Amino acid sequence: MWKSGLKWMFLIIGTMIGAGYASGRELWQFFGYESGLAILLFSILFFVCCYVVMSISYQQKSEHYIPVLEKLMGKKLTGLYDGMIILYLFSTTVIMIAGGGATLEVLHVPYWYGVFIISSLIVLLFIWGLNGMTSINAMIIPLLILFLVGTLLVFQWTNGFNMASAWNKQGNWPSAFTFTALNILPLVAVIGAIGKKINHKGELWIASLGSAALLGTVSFLYNQSLIAVAQEVMLYEIPLFAILKNYPYFMVLVMSGLLWAAIYTTAASGILGLCTRFQPVLKMPFWLLSLFFLILMIPLTTFGFSKLISILYPLYGLMNLYILASIMLYPIVNRFDQTAA
């Protein structure tokens, strides 16, 4: 039970910790000053969302996210959200592949070589199907968190661990809802794929509570570190490098590797969601299906996505808030069975 629960926990965290989170950009955009309560609320919301979605997935013994969507949204809205999730997973994975190629340029690897490397590793990963995805997350995510937390703790140590948060000034608490909602669609897509693999209800508690507690702790530590360099954050495309500015160049290279790993896990999660959704229809092995999607995606990495993102992301935001509300209300409206086997 514990081994499987931790495996699902790392899968959830790998879906959550994308390049935006690992770089600090996402955290700084939503949190920053007066956000201690917001991060606490996010941890609670994230736990409830993970537990509810995993419970539905477990009860339905689902292999993709459609049964979960039908329970949450009803059959009428499922078709709309199915299309949105497919578009979301496809577009964000294209951006991650482009980011994977661009990140390796720091090491003087040509862009297209970088795209080929990350794409090849994704296809290789899915030779082992879902087991390959969970295994790689169980290896990469602990290292990623270890390096990130280690870097942040060293930074705090050199700054005297000045992490006090004025709890009487917490005006940014509503950002907890928007930050949680931002990550709902990929979470539903990935968790919906593992229902058939969950063998014990205890795995739900381990994965949900563990991922929420770990992400909440890391988010608070990261946010407080970014506040300490707030005057310089705007000078950096990647806020993490504002923290690393006085570190040796070797640390910059290590953290660039961390960002690449975060990009890789996010891209792999996107491909997992697409593969589990279309595998019952196309009847292709995961590795071949992932290759098919990557062949479609790679040419699109040359396009500018700023206009597409400017149109899609506000729409995602609105729809994500609706599905977040549906998840939070599900245990009440449906009298969620806490004793389900």
Side-chain angles (χ1 to χ4, degrees):
M1 181 181 76
W2 277 95
K3 183 179 178 181
S4 295
L6 291 173
K7 181 170 67 175
W8 307 136
M9 182 185 81
F10 288 127
L11 180 64
I12 290 168
I13 294 173
T15 303
M16 178 74 181
I17 298 188
Y21 184 100
S23 69
R25 176 56 59 191
E26 207 172 275
L27 284 170
W28 189 246
Q29 181 178 342
F30 283 89
F31 296 130
Y33 294 104
E34 299 186 14
S35 295
L37 180 59
I39 293 172
L40 177 61
L41 285 174
F42 154 69
S43 302
I44 296 169
L45 291 170
F46 193 79
F47 162 70
V48 173
C49 288
C50 286
Y51 187 81
V52 170
V53 175
M54 284 192 80
S55 296
I56 297 171
S57 180
Y58 173 54
Q59 289 168 358
Q60 299 294 311
K61 296 298 177 186
S62 60
E63 296 183 88
H64 53 81
Y65 59 78
I66 291 295
V68 177
L69 273 184
E70 288 181 347
K71 292 291 287 184
L72 286 171
M73 316 301 300
K75 292 191 176 181
K76 289 184 179 179
L77 284 176
T78 293
L80 174 63
Y81 272 88
D82 182 26
M84 289 301 298
I85 288 178
I86 291 169
L87 186 58
Y88 180 92
L89 294 174
F90 194 92
S91 60
T92 53
T93 306
V94 169
I95 294 168
M96 289 301 107
I97 293 169
T103 302
L104 290 183
E105 288 183 310
V106 175
L107 302 176
H108 307 292
V109 176
Y111 173 79
W112 286 112
Y113 284 20
V115 168
F116 177 76
I117 289 170
I118 192 170
S119 300
S120 299
L121 288 174
I122 290 171
V123 174
L124 184 65
L125 172 66
F126 283 107
I127 290 175
W128 294 277
L130 181 58
N131 289 333
M133 180 68 193
T134 54
S135 296
I136 202 71
N137 271 285
M139 287 189 292
I140 290 179
I141 298 303
L143 286 174
L144 193 153
I145 293 173
L146 185 64
F147 276 109
L148 181 58
V149 170
T151 301
L152 295 174
L153 285 175
V154 169
F155 174 79
Q156 287 292 335
W157 179 67
T158 57
N159 285 272
F161 280 96
N162 185 20
M163 291 176 55
S165 184
W167 290 99
N168 60 326
K169 295 181 180 179
Q170 297 295 323
N172 195 35
W173 64 268
S175 63
F177 295 92
T178 51
F179 184 69
T180 308
L182 174 71
N183 298 282
I184 285 296
L185 287 183
L187 202 63
V188 171
V190 170
I191 293 178
I194 64 174
K196 198 172 182 180
K197 300 280 187 178
I198 301 172
N199 297 313
H200 193 282
K201 198 172 183 183
E203 296 171 28
L204 279 60
W205 284 99
I206 295 167
S208 303
L209 194 58
S211 57
L214 195 54
L215 284 170
T217 302
V218 174
S219 297
F220 182 76
L221 176 61
Y222 206 159
N223 188 64
Q224 293 301 112
S225 299
L226 290 172
I227 289 174
V229 292
Q231 302 301 319
E232 295 154 344
V233 165
M234 299 308 296
L235 302 176
Y236 291 83
E237 184 68 25
I238 298 175
L240 178 61
F241 289 157
I243 294 172
L244 294 171
K245 66 174 183 174
N246 294 322
Y247 283 58
Y249 182 65
F250 170 75
M251 280 302 298
V252 176
L253 289 179
V254 169
M255 299 312 287
S256 295
L258 181 150
L259 292 177
W260 191 91
I263 289 170
Y264 176 65
T265 57
T266 304
S269 294
I271 292 291
L272 174 66
L274 291 170
C275 285
T276 53
R277 172 65 183 88
F278 286 99
Q279 201 273 339
V281 178
L282 298 178
K283 307 295 183 184
M284 295 164 62
F286 270 37
W287 72 268
L288 189 57
L289 202 51
S290 64
L291 178 61
F292 169 72
F293 282 120
L294 287 165
I295 289 171
L296 293 178
M297 291 173 179
I298 288 172
L300 299 177
T301 61
T302 58
F303 296 159
F305 283 91
S306 57
K307 186 174 182 181
L308 179 66
I309 290 172
S310 67
I311 296 170
L312 289 179
Y313 272 35
L315 182 60
Y316 288 145
L318 290 173
M319 298 186 76
N320 283 8
L321 283 171
Y322 185 80
I323 197 171
L324 173 62
S326 299
I327 292 170
M328 299 302 293
L329 291 172
Y330 182 86
I332 301 169
V333 174
N334 295 273
R335 293 181 181 149
F336 197 71
D337 185 9
Q338 298 290 338
T339 61

